[in-house]
Amino acid sequence: MKHSWILAVALAVSACSPQIYSVYLDVRHPSQSGLTLSGKDISIVYMDGSNQVDSLFDRQVASSLARQLEEDYFDGQEKVGLFRIPSADTVTLDRMHSLVMETEGDVVFLLRSRLGEPTLETNQPITGATSLDSAFICPVLVPVKLQLDVYDSMSEDKVHNYNGSTVLRAQVYNNGILTDDALKSLSLRSMGRQAEKVGERVSTRFLSNWITESFGFYYYEPSASNLWDDALVNVLYGELSAAVDKWGILVKSGSAEKRACACYNLAQAFYLMSDYTLSSRWLDEAEKLENVSLAPGLRKRLASHLEK
């Protein structure tokens, strides 16, 4: 749950009835792949074969993919583990089980690629070049095939396979007298930035889908206690733990309606804090006390998490 607190609106009913304070938040939803990665440890494994160029490219793609996942799921902290294993032609479910144990990741990405034969375009002189070693530039097209296998040990026991291919364009600076083979070799060893772009492109399938949603909290105004108002101030600033402390006091006294509203607020807060078990328990308490109008909406949201 990304706590981006955008807007709050109070809808008055009457002076002695509960009012609803609505907060609009950016909520994390599963990625385009359908995988839910939030709250899970992630490892990226790349294959290290006999072809050093391919291995270097895979490492650079894996590093780029890791940075994108860390930015989305870990607030930019370096939390995604990078590992390498010997190259293999096939990937089995048993092998992915082993990688989960070896890397200690809940979710394992296994990456391998193959760079094809480069195609050289015209090697052209650079006007005003200041170095003989970079007086020419040769555009090169490099085909690449990539296979990505993903296994989520906390979800369905299956390997998700993603395959793709593209043609990367590189610019090779040279002295104008290198052979075609030398230019091709140089182009393959200078694919760092292109590898970063491939990692960024691959990551888009696995990044969170953020959707703005409305979440309601009950409060009473005016009241003898400032706890209702103070808890809403905490909500406005994203201080849910502080709000929970105040509603924890309010559930112990007052009419059944007020106690039910405080119970519901606790349930909503724990939902936003991703503690779905406690959220469900407090929602049960609220509905035992009173028919709470906002309860069905929260119950529906909880169902999508508790059934997993």
Side-chain angles (χ1 to χ4, degrees), residues 95-219:
R95 185 66 182 111
M96 298 303 282
H97 288 166
S98 297
L99 289 176
V100 166
M101 300 297 292
E102 294 169 16
T103 67
E104 299 182 350
D106 301 318
V107 182
V108 174
F109 288 74
L110 179 57
L111 173 73
R112 53 181 168 169
S113 65
R114 183 172 64 82
L115 297 174
E117 180 71 14
T119 300
L120 302 179
E121 297 185 352
T122 304
N123 197 18
Q124 302 175 344
I126 300 175
T127 302
T130 58
S131 171
L132 292 177
D133 290 336
S134 58
F136 285 75
I137 186 169
C138 181
V140 184
L141 300 179
V142 182
V144 58
K145 291 184 178 180
L146 187 141
Q147 180 174 329
L148 184 65
D149 300 288
V150 185
Y151 177 70
D152 182 354
S153 64
M154 301 176 70
S155 184
E156 185 179 8
D157 191 28
K158 65 173 290 186
V159 180
H160 301 267
N161 309 109
Y162 305 92
N163 299 290
S165 61
T166 189
V167 177
L168 303 177
R169 185 180 182 87
Q171 303 283 358
V172 179
Y173 291 89
N174 62 95
N175 57 15
I177 60 175
L178 292 179
T179 65
D180 285 356
D181 286 344
L183 286 171
K184 291 179 180 180
S185 178
L186 189 59
S187 70
L188 291 175
R189 295 179 181 279
S190 61
M191 299 295 291
R193 180 55 190 144
Q194 285 73 22
E196 289 183 12
K197 291 180 180 178
V198 170
E200 292 169 1
R201 192 181 311 168
V202 170
S203 73
T204 59
R205 182 182 292 271
F206 303 100
L207 300 182
S208 304
N209 179 25
W210 293 98
I211 299 176
T212 302
E213 296 183 7
S214 173
F215 296 86
F217 293 90
Y218 289 107
Y219 79 108

Side-chain angles (χ1 to χ4, degrees), residues 41-59:
D41 293 326
I42 301 173
S43 298
I44 300 178
V45 182
Y46 65 93
M47 290 191 175
D48 190 12
S50 57
N51 188 325
Q52 293 184 352
V53 172
D54 285 353
S55 297
L56 175 61
F57 184 82
D58 282 352
R59 185 179 71 187

